[in-house]
Amino acid sequence: MTSPLRIVIVGGGSAGWMCAAALARVLHPARYNITLIESDEIGTVGVGEATLPHIKTFNDLLGIDEAQFMRDTQATFKLGIEFRNWGRTGDRYIHPFGVFGEPWGGVDFQHHWVRAKQAGHELAPFQEYSYAIAACRRNAFEFPNTDTKSIRSTYAYAYHFDAGLYASFLRSWATQRGVRRIEGQVANIGQHAQSGDIETLTLKSGEKIAGDLFVDCTGFRSLLLGTTLKVQWEDWNQWLPCDRALAVPCDRAGEFTPYTRSTSQTGGWIWRIPLQHRTGNGYVFSSRFLSEDLARERLLGALDGAARAEPKLLKFSAGRRVRTWKNNCIAVGLASGFLEPLESTSIFLIQAAVIDLLRLMPTPESAGRIDPRLVAEFNRLSDIQYERVRDFLILHYRANHHEGVPLWDHVRTMPIPDSLAHKISLFESRGHVPFYKDGLFSRDSWLSVLFGQGLMPRHYDALANAVPIDDLDARLRELHARIASNADAMSSHSEFIAHYCGETSSR
Ligand code: FAD
């Protein structure tokens, strides 16, 4: 009988434990052994509190009880991200986890809206045709309706949670299901002399761990893929110049929003993430344009409750490893790359990598000779994810009107990737935006930022003309009223959580 494939995960942050939990859930224990090594001495990055709706699918895959998970991680609901002062000072728009309008006549909603606007009709702003945004504006939350004809079914939700508590939650989940956990620091890595495959890890204690497949979840260190297998780093700093963050939790105060807030600043932007027990805050900035001292001062001045600690400095660079799978090693999480947390994408990228790894998992029979087609496909999928996120993040910087502010002048005038230039000009010319059936940031996400930061199409899709203009006017009015009246009837976010999670939320 073939021996089980020995999978060794190095790192016990969100990446390591998400990977261990999913593998333990799906792979047969008689065919796969899963070990995770983590170092208490090194610790984890300790941030990463805002997520995207895909995380619910991940938790559902594990069979996690949602209310229990929310209690244990002090989670709140998230319906989108509010961007303040991004296009111009005073602007406020929301990137919602939901759609805009309805696709009448098979034509995307934005074309109808632009047509009516160009015809001189009195219209509500584009943002007011999203149900998720209407809920955010009221600090309201309810689960989406399962009746797909209802306007209340047109959104999804994610969570804000305490990153440390989420990793502990997954750790106990995974270890109860057969994942072997070893506490220790990997000090030496043994490779096969010819192939370069990783064979053994030696801990500081002298203990040796052998494996067939290694998952590098060592965070920014990228100990296996980067340091040992020497996979190059591709720097994207020319497009995303922020390279520092100061993070600080504060007492819960101010609005209990069902959304993350991102407020643009002279040298970057400040995040605000409401949890049940505290609020997470951070200033992401570019060290070329702002000093650490000024960033600290601005961050502490922006808190809406008393700081609970000294701000913690994190240094990073935007980019990724040119390959995320090489030989018998796959990097997941920060070990594979990092793009600033502007759209809460890192945990999603972990999830996507873990799911792709499961789909392409080598069999125990193939130990020592992994099919290169699996590796190539994994790397292809990873490239798509990273590049889509990159373009979407750059758009936020590019479309700004903060003339005379050095960081913002730089990002408004810098050369951008051709793929992004094409997307912006297609929108400006005809109102079309990318639509992907899978993955991240499709039509409505692009629309929220493009309209939200003041871009406007010159023309709309001619197919929209098939709807008589008077009908269109009536439909727009009815839709706007239906969104508002339904959203008015929702529960408040804080009441919903108090009821759903029980007494722990009111502490
Ligand atoms: P880490 O948490 O750094 O874990 C690395 C692990 O490797 C640790 O357990 C460490 O002990 C172990 N390790 C390292 N070296 C060794 C060794 N030699 N031997 C043994 N063990 C070792 N993501 C989001 O999705 N949403 C957000 O809102 C968000 N905000 C962020 C804000 C900032 C400022 C930053 C920097 C990141 C943010 N992220 C966010 C990203 C998110 O924090 C990470 O993607 C996530 O925490 C996963 O990290 P990780 O597990 O890859 O690395």
Short mmCIF file of all heavy atoms in Angstrom, two decimals, residues 149-201:
data_model
loop_
_atom_site.label_atom_id
_atom_site.label_comp_id
_atom_site.label_asym_id
_atom_site.label_seq_id
_atom_site.Cartn_x
_atom_site.Cartn_y
_atom_site.Cartn_z
N LYS A 149 -35.71 36.92 -6.15
CA LYS A 149 -36.46 38.03 -6.78
C LYS A 149 -36.48 39.26 -5.87
O LYS A 149 -36.80 40.36 -6.30
CB LYS A 149 -37.90 37.58 -7.04
CG LYS A 149 -38.01 36.55 -8.16
CD LYS A 149 -39.44 36.53 -8.72
CE LYS A 149 -39.71 35.26 -9.46
NZ LYS A 149 -40.12 34.12 -8.60
N SER A 150 -36.15 39.05 -4.60
CA SER A 150 -36.22 40.15 -3.65
C SER A 150 -34.99 41.06 -3.76
O SER A 150 -33.86 40.59 -3.93
CB SER A 150 -36.30 39.58 -2.23
OG SER A 150 -36.02 40.58 -1.29
N ILE A 151 -35.21 42.36 -3.60
CA ILE A 151 -34.09 43.31 -3.60
C ILE A 151 -33.16 43.00 -2.42
O ILE A 151 -31.97 43.29 -2.44
CB ILE A 151 -34.62 44.78 -3.55
CG1 ILE A 151 -33.52 45.79 -3.86
CG2 ILE A 151 -35.25 45.11 -2.19
CD1 ILE A 151 -33.11 45.82 -5.28
N ARG A 152 -33.73 42.35 -1.41
CA ARG A 152 -32.91 42.02 -0.23
C ARG A 152 -31.99 40.81 -0.46
O ARG A 152 -31.35 40.33 0.48
CB ARG A 152 -33.82 41.73 0.97
CG ARG A 152 -34.59 42.94 1.44
CD ARG A 152 -35.26 42.62 2.73
NE ARG A 152 -36.09 43.70 3.21
CZ ARG A 152 -36.33 43.89 4.50
NH1 ARG A 152 -35.81 43.09 5.40
NH2 ARG A 152 -37.10 44.88 4.88
N SER A 153 -32.02 40.30 -1.68
CA SER A 153 -31.12 39.16 -1.97
C SER A 153 -29.89 39.64 -2.75
O SER A 153 -29.04 38.84 -3.12
CB SER A 153 -31.86 38.12 -2.81
OG SER A 153 -32.06 38.62 -4.13
N THR A 154 -29.80 40.96 -3.00
CA THR A 154 -28.80 41.43 -3.96
C THR A 154 -27.47 41.83 -3.31
O THR A 154 -26.79 42.73 -3.79
CB THR A 154 -29.35 42.63 -4.77
OG1 THR A 154 -29.70 43.67 -3.83
CG2 THR A 154 -30.56 42.26 -5.59
N TYR A 155 -27.16 41.22 -2.21
CA TYR A 155 -25.88 41.52 -1.57
C TYR A 155 -25.34 40.29 -0.86
O TYR A 155 -26.05 39.29 -0.71
CB TYR A 155 -26.02 42.69 -0.58
CG TYR A 155 -26.94 42.41 0.60
CD1 TYR A 155 -26.44 42.04 1.84
CD2 TYR A 155 -28.32 42.52 0.45
CE1 TYR A 155 -27.27 41.78 2.91
CE2 TYR A 155 -29.17 42.25 1.52
CZ TYR A 155 -28.64 41.88 2.75
OH TYR A 155 -29.47 41.61 3.80
N ALA A 156 -24.08 40.40 -0.48
CA ALA A 156 -23.43 39.34 0.30
C ALA A 156 -22.76 40.02 1.48
O ALA A 156 -22.75 41.25 1.56
CB ALA A 156 -22.39 38.64 -0.56
N TYR A 157 -22.21 39.25 2.38
CA TYR A 157 -21.54 39.89 3.52
C TYR A 157 -20.26 39.14 3.89
O TYR A 157 -20.08 37.97 3.55
CB TYR A 157 -22.48 39.97 4.73
CG TYR A 157 -22.87 38.63 5.32
CD1 TYR A 157 -22.11 38.05 6.33
CD2 TYR A 157 -23.99 37.95 4.88
CE1 TYR A 157 -22.45 36.82 6.87
CE2 TYR A 157 -24.35 36.72 5.41
CZ TYR A 157 -23.57 36.16 6.41
OH TYR A 157 -23.91 34.93 6.93
N ALA A 158 -19.39 39.88 4.55
CA ALA A 158 -18.15 39.31 5.06
C ALA A 158 -18.09 39.63 6.56
O ALA A 158 -19.12 39.98 7.15
CB ALA A 158 -16.97 39.91 4.32
N TYR A 159 -16.90 39.51 7.13
CA TYR A 159 -16.75 39.81 8.57
C TYR A 159 -15.53 40.71 8.79
O TYR A 159 -14.59 40.71 8.01
CB TYR A 159 -16.49 38.53 9.38
CG TYR A 159 -17.41 37.39 9.06
CD1 TYR A 159 -16.98 36.36 8.22
CD2 TYR A 159 -18.70 37.33 9.59
CE1 TYR A 159 -17.81 35.30 7.92
CE2 TYR A 159 -19.54 36.27 9.29
CZ TYR A 159 -19.09 35.26 8.45
OH TYR A 159 -19.92 34.20 8.14
N HIS A 160 -15.58 41.40 9.92
CA HIS A 160 -14.37 41.94 10.54
C HIS A 160 -14.13 41.02 11.73
O HIS A 160 -15.09 40.70 12.45
CB HIS A 160 -14.60 43.35 11.10
CG HIS A 160 -15.13 44.35 10.11
ND1 HIS A 160 -16.39 44.92 10.20
CD2 HIS A 160 -14.53 44.91 9.03
CE1 HIS A 160 -16.54 45.79 9.21
NE2 HIS A 160 -15.44 45.80 8.48
N PHE A 161 -12.92 40.58 11.94
CA PHE A 161 -12.66 39.76 13.13
C PHE A 161 -11.27 40.02 13.68
O PHE A 161 -10.43 40.63 13.01
CB PHE A 161 -12.89 38.28 12.86
CG PHE A 161 -12.13 37.68 11.69
CD1 PHE A 161 -10.75 37.74 11.62
CD2 PHE A 161 -12.81 37.04 10.66
CE1 PHE A 161 -10.06 37.17 10.55
CE2 PHE A 161 -12.13 36.47 9.58
CZ PHE A 161 -10.75 36.55 9.54
N ASP A 162 -11.04 39.53 14.87
CA ASP A 162 -9.73 39.65 15.50
C ASP A 162 -8.84 38.56 14.89
O ASP A 162 -9.11 37.37 15.06
CB ASP A 162 -9.91 39.46 17.02
CG ASP A 162 -8.61 39.65 17.78
OD1 ASP A 162 -7.57 39.11 17.34
OD2 ASP A 162 -8.64 40.30 18.83
N ALA A 163 -7.77 39.01 14.18
CA ALA A 163 -6.95 38.06 13.41
C ALA A 163 -6.32 36.99 14.31
O ALA A 163 -6.27 35.81 13.95
CB ALA A 163 -5.86 38.82 12.67
N GLY A 164 -5.86 37.42 15.50
CA GLY A 164 -5.24 36.47 16.43
C GLY A 164 -6.24 35.43 16.88
O GLY A 164 -5.96 34.22 16.94
N LEU A 165 -7.46 35.89 17.17
CA LEU A 165 -8.50 34.96 17.64
C LEU A 165 -8.92 34.01 16.52
O LEU A 165 -9.23 32.84 16.76
CB LEU A 165 -9.72 35.73 18.17
CG LEU A 165 -9.48 36.57 19.43
CD1 LEU A 165 -10.74 37.35 19.81
CD2 LEU A 165 -9.03 35.70 20.59
N TYR A 166 -8.91 34.51 15.27
CA TYR A 166 -9.29 33.63 14.15
C TYR A 166 -8.25 32.51 13.98
O TYR A 166 -8.61 31.34 13.80
CB TYR A 166 -9.40 34.45 12.86
CG TYR A 166 -9.95 33.66 11.67
CD1 TYR A 166 -11.16 32.97 11.75
CD2 TYR A 166 -9.27 33.61 10.46
CE1 TYR A 166 -11.67 32.25 10.66
CE2 TYR A 166 -9.77 32.91 9.35
CZ TYR A 166 -10.97 32.23 9.47
OH TYR A 166 -11.47 31.52 8.39
N ALA A 167 -6.95 32.88 14.07
CA ALA A 167 -5.92 31.84 13.94
C ALA A 167 -6.06 30.82 15.07
O ALA A 167 -5.96 29.60 14.83
CB ALA A 167 -4.53 32.48 13.94
N SER A 168 -6.34 31.28 16.32
CA SER A 168 -6.51 30.32 17.43
C SER A 168 -7.74 29.43 17.21
O SER A 168 -7.73 28.24 17.51
CB SER A 168 -6.71 30.98 18.78
OG SER A 168 -5.96 32.09 18.90
N PHE A 169 -8.80 30.08 16.69
CA PHE A 169 -10.03 29.33 16.43
C PHE A 169 -9.75 28.20 15.44
O PHE A 169 -10.13 27.04 15.66
CB PHE A 169 -11.07 30.31 15.84
CG PHE A 169 -12.40 29.70 15.53
CD1 PHE A 169 -13.40 29.62 16.49
CD2 PHE A 169 -12.67 29.19 14.26
CE1 PHE A 169 -14.64 29.06 16.19
CE2 PHE A 169 -13.90 28.63 13.95
CZ PHE A 169 -14.89 28.57 14.92
N LEU A 170 -9.04 28.54 14.35
CA LEU A 170 -8.75 27.52 13.34
C LEU A 170 -7.76 26.49 13.87
O LEU A 170 -7.82 25.32 13.51
CB LEU A 170 -8.20 28.17 12.07
CG LEU A 170 -9.19 28.99 11.26
CD1 LEU A 170 -8.51 29.58 10.03
CD2 LEU A 170 -10.40 28.15 10.81
N ARG A 171 -6.84 26.95 14.73
CA ARG A 171 -5.87 26.01 15.29
C ARG A 171 -6.59 24.92 16.08
O ARG A 171 -6.33 23.74 15.91
CB ARG A 171 -4.89 26.74 16.21
CG ARG A 171 -3.91 25.80 16.88
CD ARG A 171 -3.32 26.41 18.12
NE ARG A 171 -2.35 27.45 17.76
CZ ARG A 171 -1.82 28.27 18.66
NH1 ARG A 171 -2.14 28.19 19.93
NH2 ARG A 171 -0.95 29.18 18.28
N SER A 172 -7.52 25.32 16.96
CA SER A 172 -8.18 24.26 17.73
C SER A 172 -9.08 23.42 16.83
O SER A 172 -9.16 22.20 16.99
CB SER A 172 -8.90 24.79 18.97
OG SER A 172 -9.85 25.71 18.59
N TRP A 173 -9.68 24.05 15.82
CA TRP A 173 -10.51 23.28 14.87
C TRP A 173 -9.66 22.22 14.17
O TRP A 173 -10.04 21.05 14.07
CB TRP A 173 -11.12 24.25 13.85
CG TRP A 173 -12.22 23.66 13.03
CD1 TRP A 173 -13.56 23.76 13.25
CD2 TRP A 173 -12.08 22.85 11.85
NE1 TRP A 173 -14.26 23.07 12.30
CE2 TRP A 173 -13.37 22.50 11.42
CE3 TRP A 173 -11.00 22.37 11.12
CZ2 TRP A 173 -13.61 21.71 10.29
CZ3 TRP A 173 -11.23 21.59 10.00
CH2 TRP A 173 -12.53 21.26 9.60
N ALA A 174 -8.48 22.63 13.67
CA ALA A 174 -7.65 21.72 12.87
C ALA A 174 -6.98 20.65 13.73
O ALA A 174 -6.90 19.48 13.33
CB ALA A 174 -6.60 22.55 12.13
N THR A 175 -6.50 21.04 14.91
CA THR A 175 -5.81 20.03 15.73
C THR A 175 -6.80 18.98 16.24
O THR A 175 -6.45 17.81 16.39
CB THR A 175 -5.03 20.67 16.90
OG1 THR A 175 -5.89 21.59 17.57
CG2 THR A 175 -3.80 21.40 16.42
N GLN A 176 -8.06 19.40 16.44
CA GLN A 176 -9.07 18.40 16.84
C GLN A 176 -9.38 17.42 15.70
O GLN A 176 -9.97 16.38 15.91
CB GLN A 176 -10.38 19.09 17.23
CG GLN A 176 -10.38 19.67 18.64
CD GLN A 176 -11.49 20.70 18.82
OE1 GLN A 176 -12.51 20.66 18.13
NE2 GLN A 176 -11.27 21.64 19.72
N ARG A 177 -9.00 17.79 14.49
CA ARG A 177 -9.30 16.93 13.33
C ARG A 177 -8.04 16.32 12.73
O ARG A 177 -7.97 16.04 11.54
CB ARG A 177 -10.08 17.72 12.29
CG ARG A 177 -11.53 17.91 12.73
CD ARG A 177 -12.20 19.05 12.03
NE ARG A 177 -13.56 19.25 12.54
CZ ARG A 177 -13.86 19.93 13.64
NH1 ARG A 177 -12.91 20.47 14.37
NH2 ARG A 177 -15.13 20.06 14.02
N GLY A 178 -7.04 16.14 13.55
CA GLY A 178 -5.91 15.31 13.14
C GLY A 178 -4.67 16.04 12.68
O GLY A 178 -3.67 15.39 12.35
N VAL A 179 -4.67 17.38 12.64
CA VAL A 179 -3.44 18.08 12.24
C VAL A 179 -2.46 18.03 13.42
O VAL A 179 -2.84 18.33 14.56
CB VAL A 179 -3.72 19.55 11.85
CG1 VAL A 179 -2.43 20.32 11.59
CG2 VAL A 179 -4.62 19.61 10.61
N ARG A 180 -1.23 17.60 13.12
CA ARG A 180 -0.22 17.54 14.18
C ARG A 180 0.48 18.90 14.26
O ARG A 180 0.96 19.40 13.25
CB ARG A 180 0.78 16.44 13.80
CG ARG A 180 1.91 16.26 14.75
CD ARG A 180 2.76 15.08 14.26
NE ARG A 180 4.07 15.11 14.85
CZ ARG A 180 5.20 15.03 14.16
NH1 ARG A 180 5.19 14.91 12.86
NH2 ARG A 180 6.36 15.06 14.79
N ARG A 181 0.47 19.48 15.45
CA ARG A 181 1.09 20.81 15.62
C ARG A 181 2.43 20.65 16.34
O ARG A 181 2.51 19.97 17.36
CB ARG A 181 0.18 21.71 16.44
CG ARG A 181 0.84 23.00 16.86
CD ARG A 181 -0.04 23.86 17.74
NE ARG A 181 0.66 25.10 18.06
CZ ARG A 181 1.29 25.34 19.21
NH1 ARG A 181 1.29 24.44 20.17
NH2 ARG A 181 1.91 26.50 19.40
N ILE A 182 3.46 21.30 15.80
CA ILE A 182 4.76 21.29 16.47
C ILE A 182 5.15 22.73 16.73
O ILE A 182 5.12 23.57 15.82
CB ILE A 182 5.84 20.63 15.57
CG1 ILE A 182 5.47 19.18 15.28
CG2 ILE A 182 7.22 20.72 16.22
CD1 ILE A 182 6.40 18.49 14.30
N GLU A 183 5.49 23.02 17.97
CA GLU A 183 5.97 24.36 18.28
C GLU A 183 7.49 24.34 18.17
O GLU A 183 8.15 23.49 18.76
CB GLU A 183 5.53 24.76 19.70
CG GLU A 183 5.60 26.25 19.97
CD GLU A 183 7.00 26.81 20.09
OE1 GLU A 183 7.82 26.21 20.83
OE2 GLU A 183 7.31 27.83 19.43
N GLY A 184 8.05 25.22 17.36
CA GLY A 184 9.50 25.25 17.22
C GLY A 184 9.89 26.12 16.05
O GLY A 184 9.06 26.49 15.24
N GLN A 185 11.18 26.41 15.99
CA GLN A 185 11.65 27.31 14.93
C GLN A 185 12.48 26.52 13.93
O GLN A 185 13.45 25.86 14.32
CB GLN A 185 12.47 28.43 15.56
CG GLN A 185 12.73 29.55 14.60
CD GLN A 185 13.34 30.75 15.31
OE1 GLN A 185 13.00 31.04 16.46
NE2 GLN A 185 14.25 31.43 14.66
N VAL A 186 12.12 26.61 12.67
CA VAL A 186 12.90 25.92 11.63
C VAL A 186 14.23 26.65 11.47
O VAL A 186 14.26 27.85 11.19
CB VAL A 186 12.13 25.91 10.28
CG1 VAL A 186 12.99 25.32 9.17
CG2 VAL A 186 10.82 25.18 10.42
N ALA A 187 15.33 25.89 11.66
CA ALA A 187 16.65 26.52 11.61
C ALA A 187 17.41 26.10 10.36
O ALA A 187 18.29 26.81 9.89
CB ALA A 187 17.44 26.15 12.85
N ASN A 188 17.06 24.93 9.83
CA ASN A 188 17.82 24.43 8.69
C ASN A 188 16.90 23.65 7.74
O ASN A 188 15.97 22.97 8.19
CB ASN A 188 18.93 23.51 9.23
CG ASN A 188 20.03 23.36 8.22
OD1 ASN A 188 20.11 24.15 7.26
ND2 ASN A 188 20.85 22.33 8.38
N ILE A 189 17.19 23.78 6.46
CA ILE A 189 16.31 23.13 5.47
C ILE A 189 17.16 22.23 4.57
O ILE A 189 18.12 22.71 3.94
CB ILE A 189 15.55 24.20 4.65
CG1 ILE A 189 14.65 24.99 5.61
CG2 ILE A 189 14.74 23.56 3.52
CD1 ILE A 189 13.93 26.15 5.01
N GLY A 190 16.83 20.95 4.54
CA GLY A 190 17.60 19.99 3.73
C GLY A 190 16.94 19.76 2.39
O GLY A 190 15.73 19.53 2.31
N GLN A 191 17.74 19.85 1.31
CA GLN A 191 17.19 19.67 -0.04
C GLN A 191 17.82 18.47 -0.73
O GLN A 191 18.98 18.10 -0.44
CB GLN A 191 17.49 20.91 -0.89
CG GLN A 191 16.72 22.14 -0.48
CD GLN A 191 17.19 23.37 -1.26
OE1 GLN A 191 18.06 24.09 -0.80
NE2 GLN A 191 16.60 23.58 -2.42
N HIS A 192 17.11 17.91 -1.70
CA HIS A 192 17.66 16.83 -2.52
C HIS A 192 18.77 17.43 -3.39
O HIS A 192 18.60 18.50 -3.98
CB HIS A 192 16.53 16.26 -3.40
CG HIS A 192 16.95 15.04 -4.16
ND1 HIS A 192 17.55 15.11 -5.39
CD2 HIS A 192 16.83 13.73 -3.86
CE1 HIS A 192 17.79 13.89 -5.82
NE2 HIS A 192 17.36 13.02 -4.89
N ALA A 193 19.90 16.72 -3.45
CA ALA A 193 21.09 17.29 -4.12
C ALA A 193 20.82 17.61 -5.59
O ALA A 193 21.30 18.63 -6.09
CB ALA A 193 22.26 16.32 -3.98
N GLN A 194 20.08 16.75 -6.30
CA GLN A 194 19.87 17.01 -7.73
C GLN A 194 18.63 17.87 -7.99
O GLN A 194 18.70 18.92 -8.64
CB GLN A 194 19.70 15.70 -8.51
CG GLN A 194 21.01 15.10 -8.99
CD GLN A 194 21.63 14.27 -7.88
OE1 GLN A 194 20.94 13.48 -7.23
NE2 GLN A 194 22.93 14.45 -7.65
N SER A 195 17.49 17.42 -7.49
CA SER A 195 16.23 18.10 -7.87
C SER A 195 16.03 19.42 -7.13
O SER A 195 15.31 20.29 -7.60
CB SER A 195 15.03 17.19 -7.59
OG SER A 195 14.88 17.04 -6.19
N GLY A 196 16.63 19.55 -5.97
CA GLY A 196 16.41 20.75 -5.15
C GLY A 196 15.15 20.64 -4.30
O GLY A 196 14.83 21.56 -3.54
N ASP A 197 14.40 19.55 -4.44
CA ASP A 197 13.20 19.37 -3.61
C ASP A 197 13.56 19.46 -2.13
O ASP A 197 14.63 18.99 -1.72
CB ASP A 197 12.58 17.99 -3.86
CG ASP A 197 11.72 17.97 -5.11
OD1 ASP A 197 11.64 19.00 -5.80
OD2 ASP A 197 11.13 16.90 -5.39
N ILE A 198 12.65 20.03 -1.36
CA ILE A 198 12.88 20.09 0.09
C ILE A 198 12.59 18.70 0.67
O ILE A 198 11.60 18.05 0.30
CB ILE A 198 11.97 21.16 0.73
CG1 ILE A 198 12.38 22.54 0.19
CG2 ILE A 198 12.05 21.12 2.25
CD1 ILE A 198 11.49 23.69 0.62
N GLU A 199 13.48 18.23 1.53
CA GLU A 199 13.30 16.89 2.11
C GLU A 199 13.06 16.95 3.62
O GLU A 199 12.18 16.25 4.12
CB GLU A 199 14.54 16.03 1.82
CG GLU A 199 14.67 15.71 0.34
CD GLU A 199 15.88 14.85 0.02
OE1 GLU A 199 16.93 15.00 0.70
OE2 GLU A 199 15.79 14.03 -0.90
N THR A 200 13.85 17.75 4.31
CA THR A 200 13.73 17.78 5.78
C THR A 200 13.84 19.21 6.31
O THR A 200 14.48 20.07 5.71
CB THR A 200 14.87 16.98 6.46
OG1 THR A 200 16.09 17.47 5.94
CG2 THR A 200 14.73 15.50 6.26
N LEU A 201 13.20 19.40 7.46
CA LEU A 201 13.34 20.66 8.19
C LEU A 201 13.94 20.32 9.55
O LEU A 201 13.48 19.38 10.21
CB LEU A 201 11.97 21.31 8.41
CG LEU A 201 11.11 21.55 7.16
CD1 LEU A 201 9.75 22.13 7.55
CD2 LEU A 201 11.82 22.49 6.19
#
